[in-house]
Amino acid sequence: MASAPESDYDYVIVGSGAGGGTLAARLAEAGMRVVLLEAGGDPHDSGPRMPEDYDVPAFHTFASENESLSWRFFVRHYANSARQKADWKSRPDPATGEDSIFYPRTGALGGCTAHNAMILLAPHDSDWDEIARLTGDPSWRASKMRRYWRRLENCRHRPLWRYLLRWIGLDWTGHGWSGWLFTERATPQKAFDDEVLVKTLIETAWTLLEHAPRWWIALRRILRGEADPNDQRRLRRRADGLCYTPLTTHKGRRFGTRERLRDTAARHPDRLRIELNALAARVIFDDSNRAVGVEYLKGERLYRAHETPGVAPGERREIRAKREVILAGGAFNTPQLLMLSGIGPREVLEKHGVAVRCDLAGVGRNLQDRYEVAVVHRTALPWESLVGAKFDRDDPLYRQWRDHRKGMYISNGAAIAFTRRSAPELLDPDLFCMALLARFEGYYPGYSDEVRKHLDYLTWAVLKAHTINRAGFVTLRSADPRDRPEINFRYFEEGDDAEGEDLAAVVAGIRSVREIAARLQRRGLIGEEELPGEAVQSDEELARHVRDTAWGHHASCTCPIGPPEDGGVLTSDFKVHGTKGLRVVDACVFPRIPGFFIASAIYMIAEKAADVILRDANDAQGELRRNPRS
């Protein structure tokens, strides 16, 4: 039986990641009373390897498997059992025993900003312009959305432009300089003392320049700062080529929505309440289909995605919202919560005994992700800059980070990167390739241990953006809010990419990084290719390898903006069709997956949602003053 409901809040927000955390802080700063429900605890609370796994950028792989914050989803890439089993990363799903792929998520304050690789790349203008075209809402145009980038970013990796803006008002970069989200470029001095690493970077850069149509122009643009992937001059030209990876760190330490929320709560304790260990069970509606609150279960480790979930059922509680309920649980949990609340495909709800409140076929459909693969080489010698690295509190590199915020641990492991089009006719670059000073082949239980074991590897991670396939789904496994949903991405031939363009693009990406690797091999910097392996050469062989090894970690689009008849779930202002007082603000909202790394787009839509919600609140207040009896 639920405890008596609390009702002294304007908004109830479920989820504290890039969407929910950003929105909650902004609404509280605007004077609203907000309660934020987070199913996990604070990453800084006691636990093994804490808070180091959270704070230290180089430890992000360990954060994704740390039992204090990790949610271990297991997903299918294919319905076909033989095809799924062909992926060596497949493991038995603890819930079903079926061959599945480990998909790390986070149940902790900050959501997946607590374990991600901290890379912040702005979406392409075409991502926003397409939403504007689809909805007929000009506020989604890229020219309008860029202001949200400037509002949230506090750029710390372009000091000359910061100086020029401050003293003479000049800024051609389009960066934000005073937002809450710090961005830095990790340039540890120790890396420049590593002769093999320096040679690797130089040879990689030179290979990319040689392949540029006009290498001298490409070099000039790099020298003037366009290796910054978020420089608006590069973005407006839809340019590809060499770049670095800006990180959401502050003085070499992870910075995300956890820090944003803690700061806001400290400044406005009367406006923002953070309720941890609160697993949302369902949205509460009144007779007019207006969302008026959330029922949740209070307790630790209640969700069965935890590695060691608790056995207690949790205490049922209710919390009420005077204005709205906003869901921001992410691409898996938001559609699950909507379906548990009676909003979703009728056949799914009836199958699990959930009363149908709103028959919305698009809930949980349209699941999308990147495709990623790895090209792996052993280096001729271990990286000199990583000598002594144990990735724990006892090694000298950690002490250098702890005492001075210097050294290799201020980096997430990405040394250099480039963008490229997989086909010349594409509007925007669709491949992002980065060199990692580690052995990384995708996600499986225990994968992070490979980082600690192998200090003599170079991995090229090939990421395919703007994927065509949108046939994946999230659906209920049961009506128990503690159970994980069923998830299948329906990769490649099981999806709806009839021409196989996604698969061909990933193969093109492998060939691109092989061009660089061949030069590094000739210089004696790396050895033979271990993955896919020298024997895998033809397009057909590479395609088979991609089908059997690809992974993703940017799940999105499961409650998309669009009309219901086309599978849409939300209006252009984030409202759930067929309801009142209910919105979604997280990775679910996109009709198509945007950009290269999705965190930036979620931060931006959260800032936009704050404007929309506050405008509606002001309009409602004005109407109340004009018509007090209404």
Side-chain angles (χ1 to χ4, degrees):
M1 185 174 181
S3 61
E6 301 176 71
S7 59
D8 195 24
Y9 297 95
D10 296 303
Y11 299 94
V12 175
I13 299 178
V14 178
S16 64
T22 302
L23 178 60
R26 191 65 75 185
L27 293 179
E29 288 175 336
M32 298 297 179
R33 288 182 54 79
V34 180
V35 62
L36 180 71
L37 302 181
E38 167 53 54
D42 189 316
H44 267 219
D45 290 348
S46 59
R49 292 179 56 93
M50 281 297 177
E52 290 79 18
D53 278 1
Y54 175 87
D55 286 337
V56 183
F59 290 10
H60 65 91
T61 56
F62 307 113
S64 69
E65 292 201 273
N66 188 298
E67 65 182 48
S68 298
L69 60 155
S70 173
W71 275 4
R72 299 160 63 89
F73 282 90
F74 284 82
V75 307
R76 300 274 291 190
H77 289 169
Y78 304 97
N80 181 281
S81 296
R83 169 59 63 198
Q84 182 63 63
K85 197 175 185 65
D87 190 326
W88 67 270
K89 299 185 298 297
S90 285
R91 302 290 191 275
D93 183 328
T96 67
E98 295 180 342
D99 285 310
S100 303
I101 301 295
F102 170 50
Y103 201 110
R105 300 281 86 184
T106 300
L109 187 62
C112 286
T113 72
H115 81 175
N116 68 5
M118 296 152 286
I119 299 172
L120 194 78
L121 266 64
H124 296 101
D125 286 354
S126 59
D127 296 316
W128 303 124
D129 290 339
E130 177 59 20
I131 298 178
R133 185 200 64 79
L134 175 70
T135 62
D137 183 345
S139 70
W140 281 97
R141 289 176 183 164
S143 58
K144 303 287 187 181
M145 292 299 295
R146 189 70 190 186
R147 62 179 171 171
Y148 296 117
W149 176 272
R150 292 192 294 269
R151 178 185 294 179
L152 72 93
E153 187 189 25
N154 192 325
C155 177
R156 296 285 170 164
H157 55 91
R158 303 294 298 276
L160 176 59
W161 283 103
R162 178 180 281 272
Y163 177 86
L164 291 174
L165 176 65
R166 179 178 180 183
W167 292 107
I168 61 176
L170 181 64
D171 178 21
W172 295 339
T173 69
H175 277 292
W177 305 100
S178 58
W180 63 268
L181 184 63
F182 293 91
T183 59
E184 299 176 331
R185 180 183 180 184
T187 53
Q189 179 60 44
K190 194 171 181 64
F192 297 104
D193 298 330
D194 187 331
E195 182 180 358
V196 173
L197 176 55
V198 170
K199 288 181 178 179
T200 298
L201 297 178
I202 291 173
E203 296 292 345
T204 297
W206 188 245
T207 304
L208 292 170
L209 285 172
E210 283 185 332
H211 285 83
R214 291 174 291 179
W215 68 266
W216 60 92
I217 294 178
L219 178 59
R220 186 178 68 194
R221 285 171 173 162
I222 290 171
L223 293 175
R224 75 179 189 183
E226 290 189 44
D228 172 4
N230 298 325
D231 190 302
Q232 68 180 358
R233 294 168 294 178
R234 178 182 176 125
L235 291 168
R236 285 172 176 170
R237 289 192 300 102
R238 306 181 188 277
D240 55 18
L242 185 72
C243 65
Y244 59 86
T245 53
L247 303 182
T248 52
T249 58
H250 185 212
K251 298 180 180 179
R253 176 179 174 179
R254 178 187 293 275
F255 194 95
T257 52
R258 175 196 175 273
E259 287 66 38
R260 172 74 164 132
L261 289 164
R262 287 302 189 196
D263 172 68
T264 305
R267 288 185 289 112
H268 304 291
D270 57 327
R271 299 182 198 165
L272 178 59
R273 169 184 162 192
I274 301 171
E275 185 72 12
L276 300 176
N277 299 310
L279 176 65
R282 68 181 180 96
V283 179
I284 302 169
F285 293 88
D286 65 14
D287 293 339
S288 66
N289 239 24
R290 174 176 292 279
V292 295
V294 174
E295 179 183 298
Y296 66 97
L297 304 177
K298 180 68 174 178
E300 296 184 7
R301 298 176 179 263
L302 296 177
Y303 198 53
R304 294 190 175 107
H306 276 290
E307 184 174 2
T308 54
V311 295
E315 177 190 351
R316 287 193 174 270
R317 297 183 183 179
E318 292 182 7
I319 194 151
R320 299 299 176 107
K322 293 179 179 178
R323 296 180 183 271
E324 295 184 11
V325 173
I326 301 153
L327 306 186
F332 299 158
N333 293 101
T334 288
Q336 179 185 19
L337 183 55
L338 283 173
M339 286 185 274
L340 291 172
S341 306
I343 301 169
R346 177 178 293 275
E347 66 275 13
V348 173
L349 304 184
E350 290 180 344
K351 174 183 176 181
H352 294 286
V354 179
V356 179
R357 179 172 294 277
C358 186
D359 183 5
L360 269 183
V363 174
R365 301 292 167 175
N366 196 51
L367 174 63
Q368 297 168 46
D369 206 341
R370 322 288 185 207
Y371 291 118
E372 296 188 48
V373 296
V375 177
V376 181
H377 290 260
R378 189 185 291 269
T379 56
L381 296 169
W383 298 112
E384 185 179 346
S385 53
L386 292 176
V387 169
K390 300 177 182 177
F391 297 95
D392 59 30
R393 299 175 183 176
D394 298 325
D395 73 50
L397 279 72
Y398 171 75
R399 291 193 293 272
Q400 188 177 23
W401 177 89
R402 181 194 63 197
D403 298 338
H404 307 290
R405 293 293 191 267
K406 293 181 179 180
M408 294 297 287
Y409 286 176
I410 67 171
S411 168
N412 68 347
I416 195 170
F418 67 92
T419 59
R420 181 167 288 183
R421 288 168 173 81
S422 62
E425 67 273 13
L426 293 176
L427 181 65
D428 292 299
D430 65 320
L431 296 174
F432 185 88
C433 307
M434 59 180 168
L436 308 174
L437 307 186
R439 179 176 175 175
F440 177 58
E441 302 170 12
Y443 299 105
Y444 55 91
Y447 86 96
S448 60
D449 287 339
E450 295 299 315
V451 175
R452 186 184 292 108
K453 292 177 183 177
H454 301 288
L455 302 179
D456 56 349
Y457 274 84
L458 179 71
T459 297
W460 278 99
V462 178
L463 180 151
K464 160 63 179 150
H466 299 138
T467 46
I468 293 171
N469 184 21
R470 54 191 298 183
F473 64 84
V474 176
T475 192
L476 291 180
R477 194 183 302 274
S478 78
D480 187 341
R482 298 182 61 193
D483 281 342
R484 292 182 288 111
E486 179 185 344
I487 303 161
N488 193 321
F489 285 90
R490 300 182 68 191
Y491 272 14
F492 300 115
E493 66 267 25
E494 285 195 359
D496 55 6
D497 176 17
E499 302 299 321
E501 294 177 42
D502 287 339
L503 186 59
V506 181
V507 170
I510 293 174
R511 295 202 182 280
S512 291
V513 300
R514 276 181 162 179
E515 293 174 1
I516 298 171
R519 186 185 191 112
L520 299 178
Q521 284 179 297
R522 289 195 298 271
R523 299 294 189 269
L525 298 171
I526 58 175
E528 288 190 1
E529 179 182 286
E530 293 190 4
L531 191 76
E534 303 285 354
V536 182
Q537 291 295 331
S538 70
D539 284 351
E540 182 180 352
E541 290 169 333
L542 286 172
R544 185 183 308 114
H545 171 78
V546 171
R547 288 190 191 97
D548 290 348
T549 66
W551 72 88
H553 60 104
H554 295 140
S556 57
C557 307
T558 47
C559 299
I561 290 171
E565 59 270 23
D566 294 334
V569 177
L570 309 174
T571 63
S572 68
D573 53 358
F574 308 98
K575 295 177 181 177
V576 178
H577 290 305
T579 70
K580 303 173 185 176
L582 180 62
R583 303 194 207 224
V584 171
V585 182
D586 61 19
C588 294
V589 311
F590 304 106
R592 303 302 294 261
I593 185 170
F596 289 118
F597 294 86
I598 198 169
S600 62
I602 303 172
Y603 283 126
M604 291 171 74
I605 62 113
E607 294 285 359
K608 176 179 172 58
D611 277 1
V612 170
I613 292 167
L614 291 170
R615 181 197 64 205
D616 286 357
N618 289 334
D619 289 348
Q621 193 66 30
E623 179 64 24
L624 185 61
R625 285 195 297 268
R626 289 190 296 272
N627 301 287
R629 293 185 179 181
S630 65

